[in-house]
PDB file of all heavy atoms in Angstrom:
ATOM      1  N   TYR A 287      -6.809  -0.777 -20.434  1.00  0.00           N
ATOM      2  CA  TYR A 287      -7.288  -1.648 -21.511  1.00  0.00           C
ATOM      3  C   TYR A 287      -7.368  -3.114 -21.103  1.00  0.00           C
ATOM      4  O   TYR A 287      -7.651  -3.967 -21.927  1.00  0.00           O
ATOM      5  CB  TYR A 287      -6.402  -1.503 -22.751  1.00  0.00           C
ATOM      6  CG  TYR A 287      -6.592  -0.168 -23.436  1.00  0.00           C
ATOM      7  CD1 TYR A 287      -5.704   0.871 -23.208  1.00  0.00           C
ATOM      8  CD2 TYR A 287      -7.676   0.056 -24.270  1.00  0.00           C
ATOM      9  CE1 TYR A 287      -5.878   2.110 -23.823  1.00  0.00           C
ATOM     10  CE2 TYR A 287      -7.866   1.287 -24.886  1.00  0.00           C
ATOM     11  CZ  TYR A 287      -6.962   2.310 -24.658  1.00  0.00           C
ATOM     12  OH  TYR A 287      -7.141   3.535 -25.258  1.00  0.00           O
ATOM     13  N   GLY A 288      -7.094  -3.422 -19.831  1.00  0.00           N
ATOM     14  CA  GLY A 288      -7.337  -4.770 -19.326  1.00  0.00           C
ATOM     15  C   GLY A 288      -6.308  -5.809 -19.698  1.00  0.00           C
ATOM     16  O   GLY A 288      -6.520  -6.999 -19.457  1.00  0.00           O
ATOM     17  N   ASN A 289      -5.172  -5.417 -20.298  1.00  0.00           N
ATOM     18  CA  ASN A 289      -4.147  -6.395 -20.656  1.00  0.00           C
ATOM     19  C   ASN A 289      -3.285  -6.725 -19.439  1.00  0.00           C
ATOM     20  O   ASN A 289      -2.737  -5.839 -18.803  1.00  0.00           O
ATOM     21  CB  ASN A 289      -3.252  -5.844 -21.772  1.00  0.00           C
ATOM     22  CG  ASN A 289      -4.025  -5.603 -23.043  1.00  0.00           C
ATOM     23  OD1 ASN A 289      -4.883  -6.395 -23.414  1.00  0.00           O
ATOM     24  ND2 ASN A 289      -3.745  -4.502 -23.715  1.00  0.00           N
ATOM     25  N   HIS A 290      -3.162  -7.996 -19.128  1.00  0.00           N
ATOM     26  CA  HIS A 290      -2.349  -8.438 -18.001  1.00  0.00           C
ATOM     27  C   HIS A 290      -1.207  -9.283 -18.549  1.00  0.00           C
ATOM     28  O   HIS A 290      -1.414 -10.298 -19.212  1.00  0.00           O
ATOM     29  CB  HIS A 290      -3.197  -9.234 -17.011  1.00  0.00           C
ATOM     30  CG  HIS A 290      -4.255  -8.407 -16.352  1.00  0.00           C
ATOM     31  ND1 HIS A 290      -4.035  -7.711 -15.185  1.00  0.00           N
ATOM     32  CD2 HIS A 290      -5.535  -8.130 -16.726  1.00  0.00           C
ATOM     33  CE1 HIS A 290      -5.135  -7.061 -14.847  1.00  0.00           C
ATOM     34  NE2 HIS A 290      -6.059  -7.293 -15.768  1.00  0.00           N
ATOM     35  N   VAL A 291       0.012  -8.858 -18.253  1.00  0.00           N
ATOM     36  CA  VAL A 291       1.184  -9.435 -18.896  1.00  0.00           C
ATOM     37  C   VAL A 291       2.219  -9.814 -17.851  1.00  0.00           C
ATOM     38  O   VAL A 291       2.420  -9.100 -16.868  1.00  0.00           O
ATOM     39  CB  VAL A 291       1.812  -8.434 -19.891  1.00  0.00           C
ATOM     40  CG1 VAL A 291       3.072  -9.014 -20.518  1.00  0.00           C
ATOM     41  CG2 VAL A 291       0.815  -8.056 -20.969  1.00  0.00           C
ATOM     42  N   SER A 292       2.883 -10.929 -18.075  1.00  0.00           N
ATOM     43  CA  SER A 292       4.085 -11.289 -17.334  1.00  0.00           C
ATOM     44  C   SER A 292       5.261 -11.133 -18.288  1.00  0.00           C
ATOM     45  O   SER A 292       5.336 -11.826 -19.306  1.00  0.00           O
ATOM     46  CB  SER A 292       4.017 -12.735 -16.834  1.00  0.00           C
ATOM     47  OG  SER A 292       5.290 -13.166 -16.410  1.00  0.00           O
ATOM     48  N   LEU A 293       6.171 -10.198 -17.978  1.00  0.00           N
ATOM     49  CA  LEU A 293       7.312  -9.975 -18.861  1.00  0.00           C
ATOM     50  C   LEU A 293       8.146 -11.245 -19.030  1.00  0.00           C
ATOM     51  O   LEU A 293       8.672 -11.519 -20.118  1.00  0.00           O
ATOM     52  CB  LEU A 293       8.177  -8.837 -18.325  1.00  0.00           C
ATOM     53  CG  LEU A 293       7.570  -7.437 -18.375  1.00  0.00           C
ATOM     54  CD1 LEU A 293       8.527  -6.423 -17.768  1.00  0.00           C
ATOM     55  CD2 LEU A 293       7.234  -7.035 -19.806  1.00  0.00           C
ATOM     56  N   LYS A 294       8.276 -12.015 -17.960  1.00  0.00           N
ATOM     57  CA  LYS A 294       9.066 -13.248 -18.055  1.00  0.00           C
ATOM     58  C   LYS A 294       8.508 -14.182 -19.119  1.00  0.00           C
ATOM     59  O   LYS A 294       9.267 -14.848 -19.837  1.00  0.00           O
ATOM     60  CB  LYS A 294       9.097 -13.951 -16.698  1.00  0.00           C
ATOM     61  CG  LYS A 294       9.941 -13.257 -15.641  1.00  0.00           C
ATOM     62  CD  LYS A 294       9.941 -14.065 -14.348  1.00  0.00           C
ATOM     63  CE  LYS A 294      10.773 -13.371 -13.277  1.00  0.00           C
ATOM     64  NZ  LYS A 294      10.759 -14.135 -11.995  1.00  0.00           N
ATOM     65  N   GLN A 295       7.178 -14.238 -19.213  1.00  0.00           N
ATOM     66  CA  GLN A 295       6.555 -15.159 -20.164  1.00  0.00           C
ATOM     67  C   GLN A 295       6.755 -14.728 -21.615  1.00  0.00           C
ATOM     68  O   GLN A 295       6.547 -15.521 -22.530  1.00  0.00           O
ATOM     69  CB  GLN A 295       5.066 -15.302 -19.849  1.00  0.00           C
ATOM     70  CG  GLN A 295       4.812 -16.053 -18.545  1.00  0.00           C
ATOM     71  CD  GLN A 295       3.333 -16.206 -18.243  1.00  0.00           C
ATOM     72  OE1 GLN A 295       2.479 -15.732 -18.987  1.00  0.00           O
ATOM     73  NE2 GLN A 295       3.030 -16.880 -17.140  1.00  0.00           N
ATOM     74  N   VAL A 296       7.152 -13.484 -21.843  1.00  0.00           N
ATOM     75  CA  VAL A 296       7.444 -13.043 -23.206  1.00  0.00           C
ATOM     76  C   VAL A 296       8.944 -12.834 -23.398  1.00  0.00           C
ATOM     77  O   VAL A 296       9.378 -12.158 -24.329  1.00  0.00           O
ATOM     78  CB  VAL A 296       6.666 -11.750 -23.562  1.00  0.00           C
ATOM     79  CG1 VAL A 296       5.184 -12.035 -23.660  1.00  0.00           C
ATOM     80  CG2 VAL A 296       6.935 -10.635 -22.563  1.00  0.00           C
ATOM     81  N   GLY A 297       9.745 -13.419 -22.503  1.00  0.00           N
ATOM     82  CA  GLY A 297      11.193 -13.438 -22.692  1.00  0.00           C
ATOM     83  C   GLY A 297      11.928 -12.194 -22.263  1.00  0.00           C
ATOM     84  O   GLY A 297      13.039 -11.929 -22.742  1.00  0.00           O
ATOM     85  N   ILE A 298      11.341 -11.404 -21.340  1.00  0.00           N
ATOM     86  CA  ILE A 298      11.980 -10.167 -20.889  1.00  0.00           C
ATOM     87  C   ILE A 298      12.211 -10.253 -19.388  1.00  0.00           C
ATOM     88  O   ILE A 298      11.276 -10.517 -18.620  1.00  0.00           O
ATOM     89  CB  ILE A 298      11.112  -8.934 -21.220  1.00  0.00           C
ATOM     90  CG1 ILE A 298      10.903  -8.828 -22.739  1.00  0.00           C
ATOM     91  CG2 ILE A 298      11.753  -7.662 -20.686  1.00  0.00           C
ATOM     92  CD1 ILE A 298       9.898  -7.767 -23.133  1.00  0.00           C
ATOM     93  N   THR A 299      13.452 -10.031 -18.968  1.00  0.00           N
ATOM     94  CA  THR A 299      13.808 -10.074 -17.555  1.00  0.00           C
ATOM     95  C   THR A 299      14.343  -8.719 -17.121  1.00  0.00           C
ATOM     96  O   THR A 299      15.251  -8.177 -17.756  1.00  0.00           O
ATOM     97  CB  THR A 299      14.875 -11.150 -17.287  1.00  0.00           C
ATOM     98  OG1 THR A 299      14.375 -12.419 -17.721  1.00  0.00           O
ATOM     99  CG2 THR A 299      15.207 -11.231 -15.802  1.00  0.00           C
ATOM    100  N   VAL A 300      13.768  -8.162 -16.035  1.00  0.00           N
ATOM    101  CA  VAL A 300      14.217  -6.857 -15.536  1.00  0.00           C
ATOM    102  C   VAL A 300      14.675  -6.947 -14.084  1.00  0.00           C
ATOM    103  O   VAL A 300      14.881  -5.924 -13.435  1.00  0.00           O
ATOM    104  CB  VAL A 300      13.098  -5.802 -15.681  1.00  0.00           C
ATOM    105  CG1 VAL A 300      12.783  -5.541 -17.138  1.00  0.00           C
ATOM    106  CG2 VAL A 300      11.845  -6.231 -14.920  1.00  0.00           C
ATOM    107  N   ALA A 301      14.838  -8.172 -13.576  1.00  0.00           N
ATOM    108  CA  ALA A 301      15.246  -8.348 -12.184  1.00  0.00           C
ATOM    109  C   ALA A 301      16.564  -7.623 -11.924  1.00  0.00           C
ATOM    110  O   ALA A 301      17.541  -7.795 -12.646  1.00  0.00           O
ATOM    111  CB  ALA A 301      15.400  -9.832 -11.867  1.00  0.00           C
ATOM    112  N   GLY A 302      16.573  -6.795 -10.869  1.00  0.00           N
ATOM    113  CA  GLY A 302      17.778  -6.049 -10.524  1.00  0.00           C
ATOM    114  C   GLY A 302      17.968  -4.779 -11.333  1.00  0.00           C
ATOM    115  O   GLY A 302      18.909  -4.023 -11.082  1.00  0.00           O
ATOM    116  N   ARG A 303      17.081  -4.549 -12.290  1.00  0.00           N
ATOM    117  CA  ARG A 303      17.185  -3.353 -13.134  1.00  0.00           C
ATOM    118  C   ARG A 303      15.836  -2.632 -13.192  1.00  0.00           C
ATOM    119  O   ARG A 303      15.432  -2.124 -14.231  1.00  0.00           O
ATOM    120  CB  ARG A 303      17.673  -3.725 -14.541  1.00  0.00           C
ATOM    121  CG  ARG A 303      19.068  -4.309 -14.579  1.00  0.00           C
ATOM    122  CD  ARG A 303      19.496  -4.668 -15.995  1.00  0.00           C
ATOM    123  NE  ARG A 303      18.644  -5.691 -16.581  1.00  0.00           N
ATOM    124  CZ  ARG A 303      18.791  -7.004 -16.394  1.00  0.00           C
ATOM    125  NH1 ARG A 303      19.776  -7.448 -15.636  1.00  0.00           N
ATOM    126  NH2 ARG A 303      17.974  -7.867 -16.954  1.00  0.00           N
ATOM    127  N   SER A 304      15.136  -2.613 -12.064  1.00  0.00           N
ATOM    128  CA  SER A 304      13.843  -1.935 -11.972  1.00  0.00           C
ATOM    129  C   SER A 304      13.941  -0.763 -11.003  1.00  0.00           C
ATOM    130  O   SER A 304      14.539  -0.889  -9.934  1.00  0.00           O
ATOM    131  CB  SER A 304      12.751  -2.898 -11.495  1.00  0.00           C
ATOM    132  OG  SER A 304      12.473  -3.872 -12.479  1.00  0.00           O
ATOM    133  N   THR A 305      13.348   0.357 -11.400  1.00  0.00           N
ATOM    134  CA  THR A 305      13.344   1.562 -10.574  1.00  0.00           C
ATOM    135  C   THR A 305      11.914   2.058 -10.436  1.00  0.00           C
ATOM    136  O   THR A 305      11.162   2.051 -11.415  1.00  0.00           O
ATOM    137  CB  THR A 305      14.203   2.676 -11.208  1.00  0.00           C
ATOM    138  OG1 THR A 305      15.529   2.197 -11.401  1.00  0.00           O
ATOM    139  CG2 THR A 305      14.232   3.908 -10.320  1.00  0.00           C
ATOM    140  N   ARG A 306      11.553   2.472  -9.232  1.00  0.00           N
ATOM    141  CA  ARG A 306      10.221   3.027  -9.021  1.00  0.00           C
ATOM    142  C   ARG A 306      10.341   4.494  -8.643  1.00  0.00           C
ATOM    143  O   ARG A 306      11.058   4.844  -7.708  1.00  0.00           O
ATOM    144  CB  ARG A 306       9.502   2.269  -7.902  1.00  0.00           C
ATOM    145  CG  ARG A 306       8.059   2.712  -7.722  1.00  0.00           C
ATOM    146  CD  ARG A 306       7.395   1.895  -6.642  1.00  0.00           C
ATOM    147  NE  ARG A 306       6.068   2.429  -6.344  1.00  0.00           N
ATOM    148  CZ  ARG A 306       5.457   2.276  -5.186  1.00  0.00           C
ATOM    149  NH1 ARG A 306       6.064   1.632  -4.217  1.00  0.00           N
ATOM    150  NH2 ARG A 306       4.261   2.777  -4.985  1.00  0.00           N
ATOM    151  N   LEU A 307       9.661   5.360  -9.391  1.00  0.00           N
ATOM    152  CA  LEU A 307       9.638   6.794  -9.106  1.00  0.00           C
ATOM    153  C   LEU A 307       8.430   7.097  -8.231  1.00  0.00           C
ATOM    154  O   LEU A 307       7.330   6.595  -8.494  1.00  0.00           O
ATOM    155  CB  LEU A 307       9.568   7.600 -10.405  1.00  0.00           C
ATOM    156  CG  LEU A 307      10.702   7.344 -11.410  1.00  0.00           C
ATOM    157  CD1 LEU A 307      10.449   8.110 -12.705  1.00  0.00           C
ATOM    158  CD2 LEU A 307      12.045   7.728 -10.815  1.00  0.00           C
ATOM    159  N   ARG A 308       8.620   7.925  -7.202  1.00  0.00           N
ATOM    160  CA  ARG A 308       7.547   8.131  -6.230  1.00  0.00           C
ATOM    161  C   ARG A 308       7.068   9.577  -6.129  1.00  0.00           C
ATOM    162  O   ARG A 308       6.094   9.848  -5.455  1.00  0.00           O
ATOM    163  CB  ARG A 308       8.018   7.674  -4.846  1.00  0.00           C
ATOM    164  CG  ARG A 308       8.335   6.182  -4.758  1.00  0.00           C
ATOM    165  CD  ARG A 308       8.739   5.808  -3.343  1.00  0.00           C
ATOM    166  NE  ARG A 308       8.930   4.376  -3.200  1.00  0.00           N
ATOM    167  CZ  ARG A 308      10.090   3.761  -3.373  1.00  0.00           C
ATOM    168  NH1 ARG A 308      11.159   4.462  -3.690  1.00  0.00           N
ATOM    169  NH2 ARG A 308      10.183   2.453  -3.237  1.00  0.00           N
ATOM    170  N   ILE A 309       7.791  10.518  -6.759  1.00  0.00           N
ATOM    171  CA  ILE A 309       7.449  11.928  -6.569  1.00  0.00           C
ATOM    172  C   ILE A 309       6.775  12.487  -7.813  1.00  0.00           C
ATOM    173  O   ILE A 309       7.327  12.413  -8.916  1.00  0.00           O
ATOM    174  CB  ILE A 309       8.710  12.753  -6.241  1.00  0.00           C
ATOM    175  CG1 ILE A 309       9.431  12.161  -5.032  1.00  0.00           C
ATOM    176  CG2 ILE A 309       8.331  14.205  -5.957  1.00  0.00           C
ATOM    177  CD1 ILE A 309      10.773  12.791  -4.764  1.00  0.00           C
ATOM    178  N   ASN A 310       5.574  13.018  -7.635  1.00  0.00           N
ATOM    179  CA  ASN A 310       4.811  13.612  -8.723  1.00  0.00           C
ATOM    180  C   ASN A 310       5.219  15.080  -8.861  1.00  0.00           C
ATOM    181  O   ASN A 310       5.106  15.853  -7.911  1.00  0.00           O
ATOM    182  CB  ASN A 310       3.312  13.499  -8.401  1.00  0.00           C
ATOM    183  CG  ASN A 310       2.417  14.053  -9.489  1.00  0.00           C
ATOM    184  OD1 ASN A 310       2.626  15.158  -9.983  1.00  0.00           O
ATOM    185  ND2 ASN A 310       1.397  13.289  -9.853  1.00  0.00           N
ATOM    186  N   TYR A 311       5.691  15.460 -10.051  1.00  0.00           N
ATOM    187  CA  TYR A 311       6.111  16.836 -10.303  1.00  0.00           C
ATOM    188  C   TYR A 311       5.103  17.601 -11.169  1.00  0.00           C
ATOM    189  O   TYR A 311       5.376  18.703 -11.600  1.00  0.00           O
ATOM    190  CB  TYR A 311       7.477  16.854 -10.999  1.00  0.00           C
ATOM    191  CG  TYR A 311       8.576  16.317 -10.120  1.00  0.00           C
ATOM    192  CD1 TYR A 311       9.038  15.025 -10.277  1.00  0.00           C
ATOM    193  CD2 TYR A 311       9.135  17.104  -9.120  1.00  0.00           C
ATOM    194  CE1 TYR A 311      10.034  14.520  -9.457  1.00  0.00           C
ATOM    195  CE2 TYR A 311      10.127  16.609  -8.299  1.00  0.00           C
ATOM    196  CZ  TYR A 311      10.575  15.317  -8.472  1.00  0.00           C
ATOM    197  OH  TYR A 311      11.555  14.819  -7.661  1.00  0.00           O
ATOM    198  N   ARG A 312       3.953  17.004 -11.436  1.00  0.00           N
ATOM    199  CA  ARG A 312       2.964  17.638 -12.313  1.00  0.00           C
ATOM    200  C   ARG A 312       1.714  18.067 -11.555  1.00  0.00           C
ATOM    201  O   ARG A 312       1.210  19.175 -11.747  1.00  0.00           O
ATOM    202  CB  ARG A 312       2.553  16.664 -13.427  1.00  0.00           C
ATOM    203  CG  ARG A 312       1.450  17.217 -14.326  1.00  0.00           C
ATOM    204  CD  ARG A 312       1.088  16.230 -15.417  1.00  0.00           C
ATOM    205  NE  ARG A 312       0.484  15.030 -14.917  1.00  0.00           N
ATOM    206  CZ  ARG A 312       0.662  13.826 -15.454  1.00  0.00           C
ATOM    207  NH1 ARG A 312       1.465  13.673 -16.487  1.00  0.00           N
ATOM    208  NH2 ARG A 312       0.069  12.758 -14.955  1.00  0.00           N
ATOM    209  N   THR A 313       1.199  17.203 -10.702  1.00  0.00           N
ATOM    210  CA  THR A 313      -0.101  17.397 -10.081  1.00  0.00           C
ATOM    211  C   THR A 313       0.066  17.866  -8.641  1.00  0.00           C
ATOM    212  O   THR A 313       0.906  17.342  -7.917  1.00  0.00           O
ATOM    213  CB  THR A 313      -0.893  16.071 -10.107  1.00  0.00           C
ATOM    214  OG1 THR A 313      -1.034  15.651 -11.464  1.00  0.00           O
ATOM    215  CG2 THR A 313      -2.257  16.237  -9.498  1.00  0.00           C
ATOM    216  N   SER A 314      -0.737  18.837  -8.232  1.00  0.00           N
ATOM    217  CA  SER A 314      -0.636  19.349  -6.867  1.00  0.00           C
ATOM    218  C   SER A 314      -0.988  18.259  -5.862  1.00  0.00           C
ATOM    219  O   SER A 314      -1.704  17.297  -6.168  1.00  0.00           O
ATOM    220  CB  SER A 314      -1.569  20.546  -6.682  1.00  0.00           C
ATOM    221  OG  SER A 314      -2.920  20.128  -6.680  1.00  0.00           O
ATOM    222  N   ALA A 315      -0.483  18.429  -4.636  1.00  0.00           N
ATOM    223  CA  ALA A 315      -0.757  17.458  -3.575  1.00  0.00           C
ATOM    224  C   ALA A 315      -2.255  17.336  -3.312  1.00  0.00           C
ATOM    225  O   ALA A 315      -2.758  16.247  -3.006  1.00  0.00           O
ATOM    226  CB  ALA A 315      -0.022  17.870  -2.302  1.00  0.00           C
ATOM    227  N   GLU A 316      -2.971  18.444  -3.447  1.00  0.00           N
ATOM    228  CA  GLU A 316      -4.414  18.433  -3.190  1.00  0.00           C
ATOM    229  C   GLU A 316      -5.158  17.589  -4.229  1.00  0.00           C
ATOM    230  O   GLU A 316      -6.044  16.800  -3.893  1.00  0.00           O
ATOM    231  CB  GLU A 316      -4.942  19.866  -3.172  1.00  0.00           C
ATOM    232  CG  GLU A 316      -4.475  20.677  -1.979  1.00  0.00           C
ATOM    233  CD  GLU A 316      -3.015  21.140  -2.078  1.00  0.00           C
ATOM    234  OE1 GLU A 316      -2.420  21.050  -3.187  1.00  0.00           O
ATOM    235  OE2 GLU A 316      -2.458  21.586  -1.061  1.00  0.00           O
ATOM    236  N   ILE A 317      -4.786  17.748  -5.501  1.00  0.00           N
ATOM    237  CA  ILE A 317      -5.416  16.945  -6.559  1.00  0.00           C
ATOM    238  C   ILE A 317      -4.993  15.492  -6.425  1.00  0.00           C
ATOM    239  O   ILE A 317      -5.806  14.565  -6.597  1.00  0.00           O
ATOM    240  CB  ILE A 317      -5.035  17.501  -7.951  1.00  0.00           C
ATOM    241  CG1 ILE A 317      -5.649  18.890  -8.153  1.00  0.00           C
ATOM    242  CG2 ILE A 317      -5.483  16.550  -9.056  1.00  0.00           C
ATOM    243  CD1 ILE A 317      -5.208  19.582  -9.424  1.00  0.00           C
ATOM    244  N   LEU A 318      -3.728  15.266  -6.111  1.00  0.00           N
ATOM    245  CA  LEU A 318      -3.230  13.900  -5.972  1.00  0.00           C
ATOM    246  C   LEU A 318      -3.938  13.175  -4.833  1.00  0.00           C
ATOM    247  O   LEU A 318      -4.311  11.997  -4.968  1.00  0.00           O
ATOM    248  CB  LEU A 318      -1.723  13.922  -5.732  1.00  0.00           C
ATOM    249  CG  LEU A 318      -1.051  12.551  -5.600  1.00  0.00           C
ATOM    250  CD1 LEU A 318      -1.263  11.736  -6.871  1.00  0.00           C
ATOM    251  CD2 LEU A 318       0.424  12.708  -5.311  1.00  0.00           C
ATOM    252  N   ARG A 319      -4.150  13.876  -3.716  1.00  0.00           N
ATOM    253  CA  ARG A 319      -4.809  13.244  -2.567  1.00  0.00           C
ATOM    254  C   ARG A 319      -6.214  12.782  -2.952  1.00  0.00           C
ATOM    255  O   ARG A 319      -6.642  11.681  -2.599  1.00  0.00           O
ATOM    256  CB  ARG A 319      -4.856  14.234  -1.399  1.00  0.00           C
ATOM    257  CG  ARG A 319      -5.317  13.614  -0.085  1.00  0.00           C
ATOM    258  CD  ARG A 319      -5.257  14.632   1.052  1.00  0.00           C
ATOM    259  NE  ARG A 319      -3.885  15.034   1.320  1.00  0.00           N
ATOM    260  CZ  ARG A 319      -3.420  16.279   1.160  1.00  0.00           C
ATOM    261  NH1 ARG A 319      -4.237  17.231   0.721  1.00  0.00           N
ATOM    262  NH2 ARG A 319      -2.176  16.577   1.439  1.00  0.00           N
ATOM    263  N   TRP A 320      -6.941  13.624  -3.689  1.00  0.00           N
ATOM    264  CA  TRP A 320      -8.287  13.231  -4.137  1.00  0.00           C
ATOM    265  C   TRP A 320      -8.208  12.042  -5.099  1.00  0.00           C
ATOM    266  O   TRP A 320      -8.991  11.093  -4.999  1.00  0.00           O
ATOM    267  CB  TRP A 320      -8.980  14.415  -4.815  1.00  0.00           C
ATOM    268  CG  TRP A 320     -10.423  14.138  -5.110  1.00  0.00           C
ATOM    269  CD1 TRP A 320     -11.491  14.369  -4.293  1.00  0.00           C
ATOM    270  CD2 TRP A 320     -10.950  13.544  -6.303  1.00  0.00           C
ATOM    271  NE1 TRP A 320     -12.653  13.961  -4.911  1.00  0.00           N
ATOM    272  CE2 TRP A 320     -12.352  13.443  -6.150  1.00  0.00           C
ATOM    273  CE3 TRP A 320     -10.380  13.086  -7.492  1.00  0.00           C
ATOM    274  CZ2 TRP A 320     -13.175  12.904  -7.125  1.00  0.00           C
ATOM    275  CZ3 TRP A 320     -11.205  12.544  -8.474  1.00  0.00           C
ATOM    276  CH2 TRP A 320     -12.591  12.457  -8.281  1.00  0.00           C
ATOM    277  N   SER A 321      -7.253  12.087  -6.009  1.00  0.00           N
ATOM    278  CA  SER A 321      -7.111  11.025  -7.014  1.00  0.00           C
ATOM    279  C   SER A 321      -6.769   9.691  -6.371  1.00  0.00           C
ATOM    280  O   SER A 321      -7.264   8.633  -6.797  1.00  0.00           O
ATOM    281  CB  SER A 321      -6.028  11.411  -8.026  1.00  0.00           C
ATOM    282  OG  SER A 321      -6.313  12.650  -8.636  1.00  0.00           O
ATOM    283  N   LEU A 322      -5.916   9.713  -5.353  1.00  0.00           N
ATOM    284  CA  LEU A 322      -5.575   8.473  -4.657  1.00  0.00           C
ATOM    285  C   LEU A 322      -6.803   7.892  -3.962  1.00  0.00           C
ATOM    286  O   LEU A 322      -6.923   6.668  -3.824  1.00  0.00           O
ATOM    287  CB  LEU A 322      -4.463   8.731  -3.648  1.00  0.00           C
ATOM    288  CG  LEU A 322      -3.080   9.026  -4.243  1.00  0.00           C
ATOM    289  CD1 LEU A 322      -2.103   9.418  -3.148  1.00  0.00           C
ATOM    290  CD2 LEU A 322      -2.555   7.830  -5.020  1.00  0.00           C
TER     291      LEU A 322
END
């Protein structure tokens, strides 16, 4: 939807409390490779 937000500018800080998940458990590797 084109919204670009800085959490800091709206008073929200997540520094040190951010986690990134990297493993897809829904889509097959073949579909994921095409999608990437």
Side-chain angles (χ1 to χ4, degrees):
Y287 289 98
N289 297 320
H290 295 271
V291 178
S292 166
L293 291 178
K294 289 182 181 179
Q295 291 181 359
V296 292
I298 299 172
T299 302
V300 295
R303 296 180 298 276
S304 291
T305 303
R306 185 178 173 206
L307 303 175
R308 297 182 175 91
I309 305 172
N310 182 312
Y311 294 100
R312 176 179 66 215
T313 301
S314 71
E316 291 75 13
I317 293 174
L318 181 60
R319 189 176 295 116
W320 188 89
S321 303
L322 290 174

